[in-house]
Amino acid sequence: RSVGQALRNFNMANMLGEATPDNPLDLARVEASMVRDLIVNLGSLWFTPMWRSVALYDLQQKFDDYVRYVATNPGQAIDFIRFLVDTGFVDRYFG
């Protein structure tokens, strides 16, 4: 649950400071990689191998959904982790 709460409170802009990319997809790739690492490394503590595979597949699907979201909402897109929180991904896999 603490991992889920950390993701809900995560602010990539603060982490990057002034280096935040102008393109939200560049930032989303970094965030997706971080979430993938959480699933692979920390997820091994509580996910079965099958559930880990499902979570990684779902993460890729959410990234694809995010790309469509950014394309249809230019200049208004939220960051990828916020998108994962809002779509229920974080609750589903991290409580």
Side-chain angles (χ1 to χ4, degrees):
R1 291 194 181 265
S2 60
V3 173
Q5 192 58 42
L7 287 171
R8 284 182 204 87
N9 295 332
F10 187 77
N11 187 340
M12 188 67 157
N14 284 346
M15 185 176 153
L16 293 176
E18 297 300 316
T20 303
D22 291 330
N23 183 350
L25 294 180
D26 291 340
L27 183 58
R29 285 184 190 91
V30 172
E31 292 176 336
S33 176
M34 290 170 42
V35 174
R36 182 189 177 286
D37 289 346
L38 285 172
I39 292 169
V40 169
N41 297 320
L42 292 178
S44 64
L45 299 174
W46 66 84
F47 291 151
T48 64
M50 173 77 88
W51 193 242
R52 202 168 40 241
S53 295
V54 168
L56 291 171
Y57 179 79
D58 195 15
L59 177 64
Q60 182 59 53
Q61 294 302 307
K62 290 298 181 200
F63 187 82
D64 294 344
D65 292 345
Y66 181 77
V67 169
R68 285 189 287 279
Y69 164 75
V70 169
T72 58
N73 296 288
Q76 303 173 29
I78 57 176
D79 68 85
F80 182 64
I81 290 182
R82 174 61 34 206
F83 183 80
L84 291 178
V85 169
D86 291 350
T87 59
F89 180 91
V90 171
D91 289 336
R92 184 170 32 260
Y93 297 107
F94 298 107

